[in-house]
Amino acid sequence: MSNKTLTVASAILAASLALSACTKSNNNEASPSASTSPSATASASASDSVSHTYGNFPSVNFDLGSTRHVPYTQITKENVNDLGIVWTADFKAIDSTIANGNQSFPIVQDGVMYVSTSKNNVFAFDAVSGKVIWQWKPDEAFKENTKNLYIVSNRGVVVAEGKVYMLLLDNRVVSIDAKTGKTVNTTVIADAVDGVTVDNGYYETAAPVYYNGNIYIGSSGGDNGVRGFVMAYKASDLSPAWDAPFWTVPPKGQDWLKNNKFNGGGTVWCPVTIDEETGMMYFGTGNPAPDMYGEDRPGANPYTDSVVALDSKTGKLIWANQEVSHDLWDYDAASTPMLIKAQVNGAERKLVVHGGKSGEWFAWDAVTGETFYNAVAFSKIDHPEPTKEGVLIYPGVWGGQNYAPETYDPESNYVLIPGIESPSFVTGYDGKPEEVTAFGTTVGETPAGIVPYGTVTAIDMNTGKIAYQNKTDHEMRGGFVSTATGLAFYGELNGKIRAIEIKTGKIVWEFQADGDNIMAPPAIFTQDDKAYMAITTGGKKPKVLVFALGGDKTQGTSSEEIQHGIENGGH
């Protein structure tokens, strides 16, 4: 994606909203300013025209192919150790009502960074100074609708047509004016997709994707027994762009759900990928329901635990490939597939590649779905059928590869996979069939002495074989961004941020963030030919941190409380 030069209006913040740059704990941290508006905090009182050159990070996974590979060259292995913090924003200092946890993928468009928080606040920051331009907060109805939800994360927004689009936990789509932070439009998903309500078990955590005038969405809730779908809306007015949603499983009472009291699962809880050349879209689907109990759902249970290709204009099926048949282990094909042009056996191929929670990685022809690489194991795999006494399954219910995204580096021809080695102790259901829950079983305590960790796995696309695999200190719940200079950046659950040389896997830089954990990938952008890296931290100290060459190199302190559980792996 090329840089572009624009003349922009640089907002001078109103006094009540100004966040002056100050130093806290030797880091440049934006000073807090709370908003009490139920919809938006506007900030511009005057403007001046300044010409800047931008290299954006415009979508949740950088490009529509979801490669998370940026063309920027300013940060190299020779100078990466000069990276330091240039500003941070503490969400709870800005607004004490912000919920714990953060899994937001930052995006940057023309000098403005847009970051969401748990429970659907959105902030627009000056991407270089860290000043808050506006804050958007959900309405009172949202608070009532979501008061009983235990998963409250949000993984980002998309900016297009002068608006910021977000999916709300209570199953609405909202558009926000990108300059003012005021609500433009809101639509209730259930108006076009029957039954999509919190009461029925649905909720929304993923970032939407914009393409060719449409907003594409999926949903969460597979562990609640809902019916998975994807849907398209017109970005202009949030009216339906398709005649009907694409449902990933049949209606309850039909086909393999004939004797099932649940709606089949197969939710699409990560963003979709788009092929701009063909108009095809790709997405991964979650587990069937009941989750770990298969007696009432015979057969393979299509299209759960699958990667599915549709026509983005119509929502019609083109192909689908299943990664786990008749899943009994919660092995969603959850993460966003990548669309890449790679060298395979010496010839260029356009492929869709994907790693699942099963610990296996796949590559298919993007147009036909023909398999190129099948079930390449990147973790320990051992998943016997659950019994009454209980079994230990690998890699466990958190992954394999959870929602954390991969990246592809065309120079090395390597795909990098963020892995999790965290086995689970699963007990088979031992009750009356009519009383089984949507989750279908119990996940108990892992035996003492087993310490979860993460992995960075490099797949050589020419051969489909593992080039190297590095063990990380903690589980890889964040994911990657890679650069044209052969570096990949990622964060770990203990707040450690690292850069590796992609070709060798060698760690060339690391920084301890001052926050509870990292469960989202970095974004890299440029302004006036200077490169910046942004990343969010979660837990009890949700923040956004921005790095640049020449920044403050003072290390933070790792949280002693590595958080496992719902915030880590939840949909």
Side-chain angles (χ1 to χ4, degrees):
M1 185 166 296
S2 61
N3 292 358
K4 59 180 180 177
T5 302
L6 296 176
T7 300
V8 300
S10 300
I12 300 176
L13 302 183
S16 62
L17 303 172
L19 297 183
S20 60
C22 64
T23 300
K24 295 186 179 181
S25 301
N26 297 319
N27 290 334
N28 295 324
E29 184 162 352
S31 60
S33 176
S35 163
T36 57
S37 167
S39 58
T41 301
S43 58
S45 58
S47 65
D48 59 354
S49 294
V50 181
S51 180
H52 292 294
T53 300
Y54 298 111
N56 291 325
F57 199 98
S59 187
V60 65
N61 285 314
F62 180 66
D63 51 25
L64 289 173
S66 304
T67 67
R68 300 195 60 82
H69 181 76
V70 301
Y72 313 133
T73 59
Q74 290 85 350
I75 302 172
T76 68
K77 67 177 182 180
E78 288 78 21
N79 66 18
V80 67
N81 281 291
D82 194 31
L83 279 178
I85 292 180
V86 292
W87 65 267
T88 69
D90 182 330
F91 290 113
K92 285 182 173 290
I94 297 172
D95 182 348
S96 61
T97 68
I98 298 294
N100 288 345
N102 195 291
Q103 299 177 7
S104 181
F105 296 29
I107 68 169
V108 182
Q109 185 78 25
D110 299 343
V112 180
M113 181 183 299
Y114 302 91
V115 186
S116 61
T117 72
S118 294
K119 289 203 169 180
N120 290 117
N121 279 243
V122 184
F123 289 86
F125 295 99
D126 182 299
V128 169
S129 72
K131 292 182 179 180
V132 172
I133 300 171
W134 50 257
Q135 176 187 356
W136 186 91
K137 302 181 73 169
D139 55 22
E140 290 299 318
F142 174 89
K143 297 178 183 178
E144 179 65 23
N145 294 341
T146 62
K147 64 182 180 182
N148 294 323
L149 288 177
Y150 62 94
I151 294 176
V152 297
S153 58
N154 181 270
R155 299 194 184 99
V157 301
V158 68
V159 179
E161 300 185 7
K163 296 183 281 289
V164 179
Y165 300 87
M166 179 172 57
L167 303 180
L168 302 186
L169 278 169
D170 65 352
N171 304 299
R172 289 183 285 170
V173 187
V174 62
S175 60
I176 304 163
D177 187 285
K179 290 184 178 180
T180 67
K182 295 190 179 295
T183 302
V184 176
N185 201 358
T186 305
T187 192
V188 176
I189 296 173
D191 288 347
V193 188
D194 186 51
V196 180
T197 66
V198 171
D199 287 344
N200 286 340
Y202 285 96
Y203 56 98
E204 294 284 352
T205 57
V209 170
Y210 173 88
Y211 169 63
N212 200 25
N214 290 342
I215 298 295
Y216 295 90
I217 73 166
S219 80
S220 295
D223 290 343
N224 298 330
V226 304
R227 187 184 183 198
F229 71 92
V230 287
M231 185 58 178
Y233 290 87
K234 296 177 183 177
S236 58
D237 60 4
L238 298 184
S239 63
W242 290 348
D243 294 335
F246 175 84
W247 297 100
T248 63
V249 297
K252 184 170 65 175
Q254 297 182 25
D255 201 280
W256 56 270
L257 292 170
K258 182 177 181 180
N259 298 313
N260 198 319
K261 70 176 184 178
F262 299 105
N263 288 294
T267 51
V268 182
W269 55 276
C270 285
V272 305
T273 288
I274 303 286
D275 185 343
E276 296 180 81
E277 295 177 346
T278 65
M280 292 174 66
M281 61 181 282
Y282 310 89
F283 53 87
T285 65
N287 56 269
D291 193 352
M292 300 190 196
Y293 176 79
E295 297 301 315
D296 295 339
R297 48 175 177 86
N301 308 146
Y303 299 114
T304 64
D305 295 345
S306 300
V307 169
V308 180
L310 305 183
D311 182 335
S312 66
K313 292 182 180 180
T314 64
K316 303 301 182 184
L317 178 69
I318 298 175
W319 58 258
N321 284 311
Q322 191 172 52
E323 296 181 359
V324 181
S325 176
H326 194 73
D327 180 14
L328 300 174
W329 310 279
D330 194 42
Y331 281 168
D332 308 51
S335 63
T336 297
M338 273 201 310
L339 176 71
I340 63 176
K341 290 182 178 179
Q343 291 293 314
V344 177
N345 295 322
E348 184 179 87
R349 302 284 187 179
K350 186 194 290 188
L351 302 176
V352 172
V353 300
H354 186 264
K357 286 173 62 178
S358 63
E360 296 173 323
W361 179 89
F362 302 78
W364 303 284
D365 182 275
V367 175
T368 67
E370 175 192 356
T371 299
F372 273 74
Y373 299 130
N374 186 56
V376 178
F378 60 90
S379 68
K380 179 177 179 178
I381 297 175
D382 185 14
H383 41 251
E385 186 170 337
T387 65
K388 299 175 184 178
E389 296 75 25
V391 296
L392 194 63
I393 65 170
Y394 288 85
V397 299
W398 303 130
Q401 184 180 349
N402 204 284
Y403 64 81
E406 303 174 359
T407 191
Y408 172 66
D409 172 46
E411 181 65 27
S412 63
N413 203 31
Y414 284 0
V415 166
L416 297 184
I417 305 170
I420 297 169
E421 297 280 353
S422 182
S424 304
F425 188 77
V426 177
T427 302
Y429 180 68
D430 188 26
K432 298 178 180 179
E434 64 271 16
E435 295 177 359
V436 68
T437 66
F439 195 61
T441 190
T442 301
V443 177
E445 290 292 328
T446 303
I450 294 179
V451 179
Y453 62 93
T455 57
V456 174
T457 303
I459 301 285
D460 184 338
M461 287 303 303
N462 199 50
T463 64
K465 297 184 182 301
I466 293 176
Y468 61 81
Q469 184 175 86
N470 295 339
K471 181 178 178 181
T472 61
D473 297 335
H474 291 279
E475 299 97 309
M476 289 287 288
R477 304 204 187 273
F480 299 104
V481 64
S482 61
T483 72
T485 56
L487 300 181
F489 293 82
Y490 60 91
E492 298 182 33
L493 198 56
N494 61 350
K496 185 79 74 175
I497 308 168
R498 286 182 163 135
I500 62 170
E501 185 180 34
I502 296 171
K503 188 63 178 176
T504 65
K506 179 183 177 182
I507 296 173
V508 295
W509 174 78
E510 62 182 27
F511 189 95
Q512 179 61 57
D514 187 14
D516 280 354
N517 52 50
I518 294 175
M519 292 189 291
I524 295 177
F525 62 98
T526 69
Q527 183 164 319
D528 300 329
D529 293 322
K530 183 171 183 176
Y532 299 82
M533 181 184 69
I535 195 167
T536 59
T537 65
K540 298 176 182 177
K541 303 175 186 177
K543 296 181 180 182
V544 58
L545 293 74
V546 177
F547 294 79
L549 297 175
D552 189 339
K553 299 169 185 61
T554 306
Q555 301 280 317
T557 302
S558 176
S559 171
E560 295 180 0
E561 181 181 328
I562 301 299
Q563 297 189 2
H564 299 270
I566 290 171
E567 188 194 348
N568 288 14
H571 297 193

